[in-house]
Amino acid sequence: MRTTYSTALAAVCSLVIQSISAHVARQSAKHGSCKKTSVAILGGGMAGITAAQALANNSITDFIIIEYNERIGGRATHAEFGQQKDGTPYKVEIGANWAQKYGLKNTYSNYSSILTYNETGYTDYRELIGEYSTAWDKASAKAGRMLADNIQDETARAGLSLAGWNPKHSDMRRQAVEWWNWDWESALTPEDSSLIFGAAGDNLTFNQFSEDNNLVIDPRGYRYIIDEESKTFLQPNDPRLLLSTKVTNITYSHDGVTVYNSDGSCVSAAYAICTFSLGVLQNQAVGFDPPLPEWKRTAISKFSMGTYTKLFMQFNETFWPKETQYFLYASPTTRGHYPVWQSLSSEGFLTDSNIIFATVVEDESYRVEQQTDEQTKAEMMDVLRQMFPDIAIPEPTAFMYPRWTKVPWAYGSYSNWPIGTTLEMHQNLRANVERLWFAGEAISAEYFGFLHGAWFEGMDAGSHIAAVLRGECAHKNRGEQCGTRPHYDKLHGTSPLKHYNVLNGWATSSFYSSSGQKK
């Protein structure tokens, strides 16, 4: 469709206004009116807060955190939903959801507590979950050998197929089981994912730490963890925390970094740590001057940003089996069509809340984001009535879901490691450009896609810059890092094992047995 004259004129005016605003901000900077600091931290999510915490722990207290929202926490966020018996709303997590820290109320997610369904109602195909697990164990072991021997990567689909799991496109039960095991974790399909790094990431997180997942149901919200971390170094109304401040442009050089904001303010820093999501970087929501070098832009473009959407419904009764946590639905036509349903009404969760939520990812997330709430609700009700054909299911009393790809400070949920992308390519995503550094879950080679990846990368960047400011090397658990992070102008096809070291952000062995012991 052609742009109308009025639309085009408005667009031109908007560009002129933005240009003038940026010019005014830059002129302000030239006249010395920018706030001055040693380190500017861009984003107040987990990585931004732990970066500031690491600086404070190293006696660097001259920093400023610039946060888009009116609160810290980033993608660890919740929403009020439905009603309790006293009329007050529940709080449900629409972002990160599984954690154990600061005494947050949480309940063990029992993945064995599952019933399976298709369009005819209850149909028991749980034995297929065991078939998948057997194949994945073989594929994961092969991935470890491929990493150690520097063998070319392959898709998770290829790895599963060669291990004996190769569902036909028309086998919707196996497609649902695969979604339950892979897509639900990665937010992307096996075709879109690396076998080596998918297996390594799974091994590093679940075998190194714990195989248990505990769902946070605390009324303080998941981001209470981040709030409490911030209290270790920030005071109430701390002037070093700039909330509701949108970054529009960043200039950087070997001498420092200047950050320009939409309100005309600016911050001039010796160093900056950019914790923007991969989605924000990929959507070019912030300008860089000079433009980021090609090796950095290539790395940003190569990695994947997944979208993970939870869709919440509250009813006037719990019509589903109350003692069961999970319900897996195999659509007769569409893979990933409202496949996983999770009860919050069960004992230990939001008991007797009559709340259930479904999850969709990737293409289905993008599709429902374009629909109205009423359209999506009607689709979900149709699925529920297929699953429970003998029950007269009432209309929900409350309904809600986020639209993550439309959130301008996120543009998605979390990152995934695509096929054909090496550790060196990821290091280019992680490496600093002059005095502009990067942190966040996507920047973590070991824990990409997980909130603890953001935790560790924020800590690492803050500690590293603190050491640079002191003229020292940053000491890590398996060595030390001196100066800037390396990047690769020339990329190799695969990564030799010797490159899996602290310099490339791979500080921990990924070789763990199922018992959690290092091999």
Side-chain angles (χ1 to χ4, degrees):
M1 180 183 295
R2 292 182 179 177
T3 304
T4 63
Y5 174 77
S6 59
T7 303
L9 181 60
V12 170
C13 291
S14 175
L15 288 172
V16 170
I17 291 170
Q18 290 177 22
S19 177
I20 292 172
S21 297
H23 176 73
V24 170
R26 288 180 173 84
Q27 289 301 313
S28 297
K30 289 179 180 178
H31 288 86
S33 61
C34 286
K35 292 184 178 180
K36 302 293 194 299
T37 189
S38 294
V39 185
I41 300 170
L42 314 183
M46 179 64 85
I49 294 303
T50 57
Q53 186 179 47
L55 288 167
N57 290 345
N58 284 277
S59 301
I60 306 294
T61 58
D62 180 27
F63 55 78
I64 292 176
I65 304 170
I66 306 172
E67 168 55 41
Y68 184 106
N69 293 300
E70 60 185 12
R71 48 84 186 165
I72 63 173
R75 285 167 278 164
T77 186
H78 57 264
E80 294 184 344
F81 177 71
Q83 279 192 349
Q84 302 185 59
K85 292 180 180 179
D86 63 3
T88 60
Y90 288 97
K91 287 184 179 178
V92 294
E93 301 295 333
I94 60 175
N97 214 141
W98 283 268
Q100 303 175 53
K101 191 173 174 67
Y102 281 117
L104 280 178
K105 185 179 180 183
N106 59 79
T107 300
Y108 171 65
S109 293
N110 181 6
Y111 297 123
S112 296
S113 178
I114 181 173
L115 296 174
T116 55
Y117 300 79
N118 65 10
E119 74 278 10
T120 67
Y122 173 72
T123 306
D124 191 359
Y125 48 90
R126 287 174 292 181
E127 76 281 355
L128 298 179
I129 297 175
E131 286 186 25
Y132 176 95
S133 296
T134 299
W136 174 244
D137 287 345
K138 294 179 182 178
S140 181
K142 176 186 175 183
R145 294 191 296 271
M146 292 167 69
L147 187 153
D149 296 337
N150 192 25
I151 303 300
Q152 190 175 47
D153 196 6
E154 58 193 40
T155 64
R157 161 67 61 232
L160 285 166
S161 177
L162 293 168
W165 177 267
N166 189 23
K168 294 181 174 62
H169 290 293
S170 59
D171 189 341
M172 303 312 290
R173 296 181 183 186
R174 281 183 167 79
Q175 293 289 347
V177 165
E178 182 178 272
W179 195 101
W180 159 265
N181 283 281
W182 185 271
D183 302 45
W184 194 32
E185 185 71 47
S186 301
L188 286 160
T189 67
E191 287 85 353
D192 296 320
S193 305
S194 160
L195 174 64
I196 289 178
F197 293 99
D202 181 82
N203 207 18
L204 280 162
T205 288
F206 293 107
N207 287 332
Q208 182 183 5
F209 297 118
S210 172
E211 292 185 355
D212 294 344
N213 269 330
N214 285 37
L215 188 78
V216 172
I217 50 172
D218 197 294
R220 295 169 295 183
Y222 189 112
R223 72 167 182 255
Y224 180 73
I225 296 174
I226 302 174
D227 291 334
E228 290 301 293
E229 292 296 302
S230 72
K231 291 177 183 177
T232 64
F233 60 90
L234 288 177
Q235 301 299 317
N237 302 313
D238 200 308
R240 295 174 296 173
L241 175 60
L242 305 182
L243 297 173
S244 301
T245 304
K246 178 183 177 182
V247 174
T248 57
N249 295 88
I250 300 167
T251 64
Y252 64 92
S253 70
H254 63 276
D255 295 320
V257 180
T258 303
V259 181
Y260 302 97
N261 306 314
S262 62
D263 60 5
S265 66
C266 52
V267 175
S268 179
Y271 292 88
I273 303 173
C274 177
T275 72
F276 298 152
S277 76
L278 179 63
V280 167
L281 295 174
Q282 288 179 336
N283 279 273
Q284 301 177 25
V286 175
F288 292 91
D289 184 16
L292 294 173
E294 184 176 359
W295 58 263
K296 173 63 78 172
R297 288 183 282 113
T298 300
I300 290 170
S301 298
K302 282 280 287 185
F303 282 83
S304 302
M305 187 69 173
T307 302
Y308 185 104
T309 308
K310 303 175 196 171
L311 306 99
F312 295 88
M313 307 180 95
Q314 184 181 37
F315 294 87
N316 57 16
E317 61 177 322
T318 300
F319 57 82
W320 54 91
K322 190 175 179 180
E323 69 282 359
T324 302
Q325 289 190 24
Y326 296 100
F327 308 89
L328 180 62
Y329 168 72
S331 164
T333 59
T334 307
R335 186 182 188 278
H337 184 71
Y338 308 112
V340 173
W341 298 73
Q342 186 169 351
S343 173
L344 293 182
S345 198
S346 303
E347 187 70 29
F349 293 90
L350 303 178
T351 308
D352 296 327
S353 63
N354 303 323
I355 294 175
I356 191 169
F357 71 94
T359 302
V360 295
V361 301
E362 201 196 14
D363 289 346
E364 283 293 285
S365 285
Y366 308 148
R367 188 182 65 80
V368 300
E369 285 193 2
Q370 301 306 315
Q371 296 184 158
T372 66
D373 281 11
E374 288 301 314
Q375 289 173 316
T376 302
K377 181 171 67 174
E379 290 180 349
M380 294 177 69
M381 289 297 293
D382 182 58
V383 169
L384 285 172
R385 286 166 177 151
Q386 290 178 36
M387 293 169 65
F388 304 102
D390 298 327
I391 298 174
I393 300 176
E395 287 295 310
T397 57
F399 179 70
M400 179 270 294
Y401 64 97
R403 290 168 169 82
W404 279 110
T405 65
K406 297 185 178 183
V407 176
W409 50 266
Y411 288 118
S413 300
Y414 52 83
S415 66
N416 186 45
W417 199 302
I419 179 63
T421 307
T422 63
L423 185 64
E424 290 95 339
M425 178 65 78
H426 185 272
Q427 180 59 21
N428 282 358
L429 180 65
R430 188 171 182 264
N432 59 291
V433 181
E434 303 287 359
R435 292 194 172 193
L436 177 62
W437 289 59
F438 294 82
E441 55 84 12
I443 306 303
S444 175
E446 298 165 305
Y447 311 114
F448 63 92
F450 290 99
L451 197 72
H452 51 276
W455 178 296
F456 285 120
E457 285 300 312
M459 280 288 184
D460 185 271
S463 299
H464 202 144
I465 289 178
V468 171
L469 287 169
R470 294 194 304 266
E472 302 173 356
C473 293
H475 295 280
K476 309 297 177 181
N477 61 343
R478 288 176 61 195
E480 63 179 16
Q481 298 181 43
C482 302
T484 63
R485 289 173 173 169
H487 75 270
Y488 296 86
D489 288 314
K490 183 178 180 180
L491 290 168
H492 302 282
T494 54
S495 305
L497 186 59
K498 65 182 180 181
H499 285 183
Y500 289 80
N501 55 40
V502 67
L503 291 178
N504 287 327
W506 200 274
T508 307
S509 172
S510 62
F511 298 99
Y512 282 79
S513 66
S514 59
S515 63
Q517 299 297 313
K518 286 186 179 181
K519 293 182 179 179

